[in-house]
Amino acid sequence: MKCCGRVLTEADLTLLDGDPELVSDDLLLNFVWHPPGCFDEDEYEAAWRRLAYRVVQVMEDDPHASLAEGLALARPFTWPENERAALRAQLTGAIRRAAGDDERWPALDALFQTAALLDESLTPWLRLVDTFPDEVVVHLVREWTSAVQCTTKGDYGSLLVWQNPTPGEEMREWLFRPALRDRLSGVDSEAAQDAFLHVDWFAEEFSTR
């Protein structure tokens, strides 16, 4: 594995090119934050194929979507299905664990965006969210309506750039479903009612854009 020579040493590159279990978290983060243009494109993608599961491990403790910026450039939707299936299962577990602990709910969006990169689609992950307890769905609805309505085109996700449909279109379709409104209206909590009003207001506001 070759690089520009800044930050990463030859010894670092040798480790990154070998057994992922021998790569420390610090070295992994140095790789993740390193400018992708410093690497050969094919080698960069191959490195992400080796290291993606380790990055997800780190994201569970340090949940920032920007950790997966390089994954987006490594085009995981083109990887062999067995590799994508393994990463999909790992991310499903990470998302479920975060959903089961309210102190980790802030991690959910970063993990969700990372998972969506595998198939360039939010839809399977939104179906997973539908299986979560009401209070988790309420949390995500409030977060996602706020995120989407802050963009002029109703976009969603800093890493998500595919088309037909766009991530924003997929998210709006989920948010505007009658089934979601019915679910929110049936939850007896101030947060749920606030989420319902968020969806109601956003749907009306977006229809005028």
Side-chain angles (χ1 to χ4, degrees):
M1 189 174 182
K2 304 179 185 67
C3 188
C4 60
R6 297 196 303 269
V7 180
L8 295 171
T9 67
E10 287 298 323
D12 291 335
L13 294 170
T14 298
L15 282 170
L16 290 168
D17 206 20
D19 183 351
E21 295 296 335
L22 300 180
V23 177
S24 69
D25 288 356
D26 286 343
L27 176 55
L28 185 71
L29 289 173
N30 281 341
F31 166 73
V32 167
W33 297 123
H34 206 68
C38 291
F39 299 92
D40 174 84
E41 184 176 335
D42 290 340
E43 289 187 338
Y44 187 70
E45 179 176 323
W48 266 100
R49 285 174 60 181
R50 288 193 303 275
L51 297 167
Y53 82 94
R54 292 275 291 105
V55 175
V56 174
Q57 289 175 341
V58 171
M59 286 186 72
E60 284 209 62
D61 297 320
D62 187 14
H64 300 288
S66 56
L67 286 173
E69 286 180 1
L71 179 61
L73 296 174
R75 306 180 307 138
F77 54 90
T78 68
W79 297 359
E81 178 54 31
N82 64 316
E83 296 179 18
R84 292 165 60 219
L87 195 56
R88 191 180 294 118
Q90 183 190 8
L91 280 159
T92 299
I95 291 170
R96 287 190 183 279
R97 286 188 290 275
D101 179 355
D102 59 358
E103 293 186 358
R104 299 179 65 198
W105 289 355
L108 280 168
D109 185 63
L111 292 168
F112 183 85
Q113 287 195 47
T114 302
L117 292 169
L118 292 177
D119 302 295
E120 291 203 324
S121 176
L122 299 180
T123 299
W125 303 100
L126 289 167
R127 290 181 185 141
L128 178 62
V129 170
D130 282 333
T131 70
F132 289 164
D134 289 338
E135 58 269 24
V136 184
V137 174
V138 167
H139 166 81
L140 288 171
V141 168
R142 295 174 77 186
E143 180 169 353
W144 287 340
T145 51
S146 296
V148 177
Q149 71 191 28
C150 286
T151 63
T152 57
K153 295 182 180 180
D155 295 331
Y156 166 73
S158 58
L159 308 179
L160 315 181
V161 296
W162 56 82
Q163 303 292 318
N164 301 317
T166 66
E169 289 168 339
E170 288 181 279
M171 180 59 75
R172 292 195 303 274
E173 181 179 356
W174 185 81
L175 287 169
F176 296 164
R177 292 174 307 146
L180 179 62
R181 294 164 64 91
D182 290 345
R183 182 175 184 179
L184 294 174
S185 65
V187 179
D188 185 17
S189 74
E190 184 176 340
Q193 296 313 304
D194 182 61
F196 181 88
L197 291 174
H198 272 232
V199 171
D200 200 40
W201 179 87
F202 180 43
E204 182 177 351
E205 193 269 345
F206 192 82
S207 69
T208 65
R209 290 185 184 182

